[in-house]
Amino acid sequence: MSIFSENIRFLRTQKKLSQHELADKILMSRVRYSKYEDGRSEPPYELLIRISKYFNLSIDLLLTVDIRKYPLEDILKLPDNRIVLPVVVDQLGNNSIEIVPQKASMGYLSGYSDPEYIENLQRITLPFLTGGKFRAFPAQGDSMPPFKDGSYIIGKYIENIDDLKLNKSYVFVTLNDGISYKRFISRNKKSITVAADNSFYKSYDIPLGEVVEVWQYASGIFPEDFEPDNFENYNLKEMFLEIRKDIQGLDEKISKNN
């Protein structure tokens, strides 16, 4: 049996549930669930996420740590239940910066805690980035200028969500949205509020339970054809975006009146 199968058996018995009762709660058949608990089959990542949410334990703990050896209450008090962060070093022991490729960014959500996945990523070393663990993520869209498609955001790993600083920008890895780069605005007991630098986009909340990883902005990598002059007229672009935002607001009011 795998660590995962042993863990879910242990967690089920701690809740005093039968296989049938637990299967109903996580929306699957008892026969299918029993295969996972008996180690005869491995669940897809969609089901891993569902099981992780139900037990309020991170996927990496479920897959890699025998939780029977630790007090369950202590594990639940750990920040995000995170105790494992795969780190790649070179032959001299220097901390490398892994690059998450654009085409494989969706797979990061299921591979972020897998040492083999991380080890297979391309890597670079930047001597001016020291004193932490860094990773490069692809930029998408136009919500956080000057970053655009083809550029990369290098983030420094943040271990505790309590360390987030107001108005600083971060790469958030979340269960529902995957990788997103936004500015931290505020926090309450259940969620954090983030916003884009492009004022056309509205701020939104991320439930704390959906946050997988947080990386604070440290540096950027731009395409070869990047030219600073491309953003000289950014204020003009902002004006058009504001007009577009006003038009959108009028459309919403008209829709409500109709």
Side-chain angles (χ1 to χ4, degrees):
M1 296 178 67
S2 66
I3 291 177
F4 172 74
S5 61
E6 294 283 7
N7 280 342
I8 59 175
R9 181 189 297 273
F10 171 73
L11 291 168
R12 177 179 62 79
T13 58
Q14 289 295 303
K15 287 183 172 290
K16 299 181 180 180
L17 297 173
S18 67
Q19 287 189 348
H20 182 79
E21 289 172 330
L22 179 55
D24 284 345
K25 291 181 180 295
I26 54 180
L27 305 177
M28 70 176 71
S29 69
R30 188 203 67 79
V31 173
R32 186 179 185 185
Y33 170 79
S34 67
K35 291 181 179 179
Y36 302 145
E37 190 173 289
D38 295 340
R40 291 175 288 153
S41 182
E42 298 292 337
Y45 77 89
E46 294 92 346
L47 282 179
L48 281 175
I49 293 174
R50 198 182 306 167
I51 294 170
S52 170
K53 285 184 176 181
Y54 177 75
F55 288 119
N56 195 30
L57 284 173
S58 64
I59 293 175
D60 54 352
L61 279 181
L62 287 173
L63 295 179
T64 64
V65 176
D66 187 347
I67 62 176
R68 296 172 298 175
K69 298 179 180 180
Y70 304 93
L72 191 56
E73 291 184 359
D74 291 346
I75 291 178
L76 292 173
K77 292 177 183 178
L78 290 172
D80 301 325
N81 304 145
R82 292 301 309 283
I83 63 174
V84 178
L85 177 69
V87 173
V88 177
V89 297
D90 60 21
Q91 294 179 347
L92 299 177
N94 297 317
N95 195 336
S96 298
I97 300 173
E98 302 90 13
I99 301 176
V100 180
Q102 180 75 44
K103 293 182 179 179
S105 61
M106 294 302 293
Y108 184 79
L109 189 58
S110 57
Y112 70 91
S113 62
D114 181 357
E116 184 176 354
Y117 171 87
I118 299 301
E119 186 176 354
N120 287 328
L121 295 176
Q122 290 185 329
R123 299 184 296 276
I124 59 173
T125 299
L126 297 176
F128 58 86
L129 292 180
T130 58
K133 173 59 194 167
F134 299 88
R135 190 162 291 164
F137 298 88
Q140 295 180 335
D142 62 350
S143 66
M144 295 290 284
F147 290 99
K148 58 181 180 178
D149 292 348
S151 56
Y152 277 81
I153 300 136
I154 299 177
K156 179 182 179 181
Y157 182 67
I158 301 298
E159 293 187 1
N160 196 320
I161 204 163
D162 292 332
D163 294 332
L164 294 179
K165 299 177 182 178
L166 294 178
N167 296 317
K168 296 294 184 180
S169 51
Y170 298 86
V171 174
F172 295 97
V173 182
T174 63
L175 294 175
N176 284 336
D177 295 332
I179 300 170
S180 61
Y181 177 52
K182 294 293 182 287
R183 194 169 296 278
F184 173 60
I185 303 301
S186 64
R187 176 189 172 181
N188 57 44
K189 292 182 178 180
K190 295 183 178 180
S191 65
I192 58 175
T193 301
V194 301
D197 284 350
N198 186 332
S199 59
F200 176 73
Y201 296 93
K202 296 180 179 179
S203 61
Y204 62 94
D205 294 336
I206 302 175
L208 292 178
E210 293 184 7
V211 178
V212 173
E213 287 182 346
V214 180
W215 301 76
Q216 183 176 354
Y217 171 75
S219 187
I221 303 174
F222 295 94
E224 292 182 359
D225 60 352
F226 169 75
E227 296 178 1
D229 292 343
N230 289 343
F231 296 95
E232 282 185 352
N233 296 322
Y234 183 66
N235 289 333
L236 184 61
K237 292 182 181 180
E238 281 286 284
M239 181 184 71
F240 282 109
L241 287 171
E242 286 296 329
I243 295 174
R244 184 179 170 187
K245 186 176 180 180
D246 291 340
I247 294 174
Q248 186 180 39
L250 289 173
D251 287 340
E252 291 176 355
K253 289 181 180 179
I254 294 172
S255 298
K256 289 180 180 179
N257 292 332
N258 291 337

